[in-house]
């Protein structure tokens, strides 16, 4: 079975986790995404465990990584927008989210802009937080015909109240579906498959008796799924 533990279970530091894990006869560890980018867990004696991390946010140690293919996700979003006739896509995202994935979203976005006319290449909008509150100002200034956002950062009702016709004069594509509410056109990160891949990887390590921090960490990328949610124009036949 899988047993969930948090650092607060062991007190104020991770130093007690090694003894707690051993007392519970736990030999495999899946480290979830860290709250703070670059966070470390060096207090754990990793030589005793088979371990992988989910995502890129854990700074150290450098464990094997299971992650969503964020670069491919952005490439797919841009391709879908262009296929549907959009020519001025804009990216609005919290800077901390892009940093947590090693700027893979922004890198792919900027690379894909080379396929656009120079007059249609818009600067990405990076925000500390509260993107929804600043979205209307940015959109009216730069006049994109589609925006790329996180599902939790977009309020379609508010955009419609501000006069935007979605998806006709402003398309909306999401890099991750919202936690609550209906689906939107864009990426489903398939987190269930991501978790299954992490379990499969660490179980294989246990069977091979591979423990400790690897000398050459591997990264396994899981593909995403495209969802038609009605917030973009239909793709032409």
């Amino acid at each position: 079975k899988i047993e969930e533990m948090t650092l607060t279970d062991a007190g104020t530091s991770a130093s007690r986790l090694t003894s707690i894990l051993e007392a519970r006869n736990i030999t495999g560890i899946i480290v979830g995404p860290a709250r703070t980018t670059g966070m470390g867990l060096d207090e754990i004696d990793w030589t005793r465990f088979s371990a992988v991390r989910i995502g890129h946010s854990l700074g150290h140690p450098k464990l094997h990584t299971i992650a969503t293919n964020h670069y491919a996700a952005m490439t797919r979003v841009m391709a879908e927008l262009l296929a549907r006739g959009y020519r001025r896509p804009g990216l609005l995202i919290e800077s901390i989210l892009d940093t947590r994935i090693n700027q893979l979203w922004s890198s792919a976005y900027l690379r894909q802009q080379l396929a656009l006319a120079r007059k249609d290449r818009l600067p990405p909008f990076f925000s500390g937080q509260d993107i929804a509150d600043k979205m209307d100002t940015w959109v009216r200034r730069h006049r994109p015909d589609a925006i790329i956002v996180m599902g939790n950062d977009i309020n379609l009702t508010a955009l419609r109240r501000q006069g935007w016709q979605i998806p006709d004069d402003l398309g909306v594509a999401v890099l991750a579906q919202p936690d609550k509410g209906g689906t939107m056109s864009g990426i489903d990160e398939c987190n269930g498959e991501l978790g299954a891949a992490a379990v499969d990887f660490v179980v294989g390590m246990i069977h091979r008796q591979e423990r400790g921090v690897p000398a050459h960490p591997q990264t396994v990328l899981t593909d995403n799924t495209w969802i038609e949610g009605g917030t973009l124009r239909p793709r032409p036949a």
Side-chain angles (χ1 to χ4, degrees):
K1 67 177 182 179
I2 293 179
E3 183 173 350
E4 182 179 354
M5 298 183 64
T6 65
L7 290 181
T8 54
D9 293 334
T12 57
S13 75
S15 58
R16 290 186 55 211
L17 275 178
T18 299
S19 60
I20 292 175
L21 292 167
E22 288 187 318
R24 299 185 184 183
N25 198 30
I26 292 174
T27 58
I29 299 176
I30 299 172
V31 182
R35 291 183 178 179
T36 305
T37 301
M39 173 184 171
L41 286 176
D42 294 319
E43 300 93 337
I44 295 176
D45 183 359
W46 294 102
T47 63
R48 301 170 183 261
F49 306 104
S50 304
V52 300
R53 65 175 183 172
I54 293 180
H56 306 277
S57 54
L58 181 70
H60 47 90
K62 296 296 183 182
L63 303 173
H64 295 305
T65 302
I66 313 296
T68 295
N69 196 338
H70 296 101
Y71 193 97
M74 178 62 78
T75 301
R76 175 68 185 274
V77 168
M78 292 289 286
E80 290 286 346
L81 292 174
L82 293 180
R84 295 157 197 261
Y86 296 104
R87 291 295 178 265
R88 286 178 60 83
L91 173 63
L92 300 92
I93 192 172
E94 290 185 27
S95 57
I96 189 173
L97 296 180
D98 195 45
T99 300
R100 284 168 64 91
I101 62 166
N102 296 334
Q103 292 83 38
L104 290 169
W105 278 327
S106 58
S107 297
Y109 172 75
L110 293 171
R111 176 62 182 84
Q112 293 301 311
Q113 281 198 331
L114 296 179
L116 305 175
R118 287 185 178 273
K119 63 182 179 61
D120 293 330
R121 299 175 189 175
L122 303 182
F125 175 74
F126 297 111
S127 173
Q129 56 184 352
D130 300 328
I131 282 183
D133 297 337
K134 306 170 184 177
M135 188 176 299
D136 184 64
T137 300
W138 189 92
V139 170
R140 293 188 184 280
R141 176 182 178 185
H142 292 281
R143 307 302 297 185
D145 55 8
I147 55 175
I148 306 168
V149 294
M150 300 295 289
N152 291 331
D153 292 334
I154 186 72
N155 188 324
L156 296 179
T157 301
L159 283 175
R160 291 185 175 108
R161 280 201 305 264
Q162 292 160 356
W164 299 105
Q165 298 297 316
I166 299 171
D168 296 325
D169 56 42
L170 182 65
V172 175
V174 296
L175 291 166
Q177 295 294 324
D179 295 333
K180 299 179 181 179
T183 57
M184 301 183 191
S185 299
I187 297 298
D188 179 353
E189 291 191 318
C190 303
N191 289 322
E193 286 73 16
L194 183 72
V199 172
D200 186 62
F201 198 105
V202 78
V203 167
M205 292 181 66
I206 294 172
H207 288 168
R208 295 187 297 269
Q209 298 186 29
E210 297 175 7
R211 298 186 177 94
V213 178
H216 303 285
Q218 300 177 29
T219 299
V220 175
L221 299 179
T222 62
D223 282 336
N224 310 278
T225 298
W226 178 264
I227 300 293
E228 287 289 346
T231 57
L232 292 177
R233 295 191 293 255
R235 178 188 266 265

